[in-house]
């Protein structure tokens, strides 16, 4: 598919699927003058079953939409530290219109299930030399419901992988209990 959105997409309300488009560009000049990416990269967007581009390719990564009509997307960030440099991702979520509903600030973000996901943040604490990775249950509006004691969650993890849920922790959301 190409990134030129049609004027009318008759099936835009149906299932949407991630697709990649190759873009030519040189980007991300680092502070020390290194080019971190040269040539081409894939930008991800979403198409309908008929092939209409519904959300233009602009994300570094894109996951399928959940039953909650939210999709986890990755936005590129530059990593520049003393011993390493490169490009990584922060994760957030978009709605079916392509609007960010969860700002891309998470190191990892699970898919939404019944209005809840798990996001992992890296937080510097005064008593530690290294950032602490903390998991949070969050709503589709980005509100933190509480800590998700899941250890280091990786991309693609599910709410059901979290020990806190398996131990019976539950949240009320739209008259549904998640347990």
């Amino acid at each position: 598919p190409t990134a030129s959105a049609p004027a009318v997409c008759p099936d835009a309300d149906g299932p949407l699927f991630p697709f990649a488009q190759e873009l030519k560009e040189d980007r991300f000049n680092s502070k020390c003058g290194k080019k971190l990416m040269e040539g081409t990269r894939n930008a991800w967007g979403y198409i309908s079953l008929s092939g209409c581009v519904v959300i233009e390719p602009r994300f570094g990564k894109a996951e399928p939409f959940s039953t909650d009509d939210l999709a986890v997307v990755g936005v590129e960030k530059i990593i520049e530290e003393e011993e390493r440099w490169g490009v990584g991702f922060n994760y957030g979520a978009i709605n079916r219109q392509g609007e960010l509903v969860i700002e891309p600030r998470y190191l990892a973000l699970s898919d939404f299930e019944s209005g809840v996901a798990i996001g992992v943040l890296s937080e510097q604490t005064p008593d530690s030399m290294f950032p602490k990775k903390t998991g949070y249950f969050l709503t589709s509006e980005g509100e933190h419901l509480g800590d998700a004691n899941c250890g280091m969650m990786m991309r693609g993890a599910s709410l059901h992988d979290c020990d806190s849920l398996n131990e019976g922790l539950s949240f009320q959301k739209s008259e549904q209990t998640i347990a």
Side-chain angles (χ1 to χ4, degrees):
T2 63
S4 57
V8 176
C9 187
D11 61 344
D13 291 337
L16 299 180
F17 305 94
F19 81 99
Q21 180 178 20
E22 192 173 85
L23 300 177
K24 290 186 176 204
E25 57 186 38
D26 294 337
R27 320 179 305 145
F28 296 135
N29 284 327
S30 68
K31 293 176 190 170
C32 60
K34 297 177 185 172
K35 275 205 188 300
L36 301 179
M37 294 181 76
E38 294 185 64
T40 62
R41 73 173 180 104
N42 282 335
W44 290 84
Y46 292 85
I47 59 172
S48 67
L49 275 174
S50 67
C52 291
V53 175
V54 178
I55 299 173
E56 294 289 330
R58 66 179 186 271
F59 303 105
K61 293 190 176 197
E63 296 294 326
F65 276 87
S66 69
T67 55
D68 292 353
D69 283 336
L70 297 174
V72 173
V73 294
V75 176
E76 294 162 332
K77 66 176 180 176
I78 297 174
I79 299 168
E80 284 192 274
E81 297 172 0
E82 284 185 33
E83 300 296 319
R84 64 187 186 113
W85 56 270
V87 178
F89 294 93
N90 281 340
Y91 293 93
I94 60 169
N95 61 21
R96 291 179 58 87
Q97 291 72 44
E99 302 163 332
L100 282 169
V101 293
I102 305 289
E103 287 299 316
R105 63 187 190 118
Y106 294 92
L107 297 175
L109 184 60
S110 73
D111 291 333
F112 282 83
E113 297 178 30
S114 301
V116 178
I118 297 172
V120 177
L121 291 174
S122 178
E123 301 169 328
Q124 188 69 46
T125 58
D127 59 339
S128 174
M129 182 191 251
F130 300 101
K132 175 182 161 192
K133 292 177 176 57
T134 306
Y136 295 98
F137 291 107
L138 62 143
T139 67
S140 55
E141 293 83 32
E143 176 187 354
H144 286 191
L145 296 173
D147 289 354
N149 300 315
C150 305
M152 181 51 193
M153 302 237 350
M154 291 304 192
R155 182 73 206 105
S158 157
L159 285 174
H160 302 291
D161 295 331
C162 184
D163 291 338
S164 298
L165 280 174
N166 295 333
E167 292 169 6
L169 179 64
S170 64
F171 292 106
Q172 293 290 330
K173 178 74 176 165
S174 303
E175 300 180 0
Q176 295 179 2
T177 300
I178 300 168

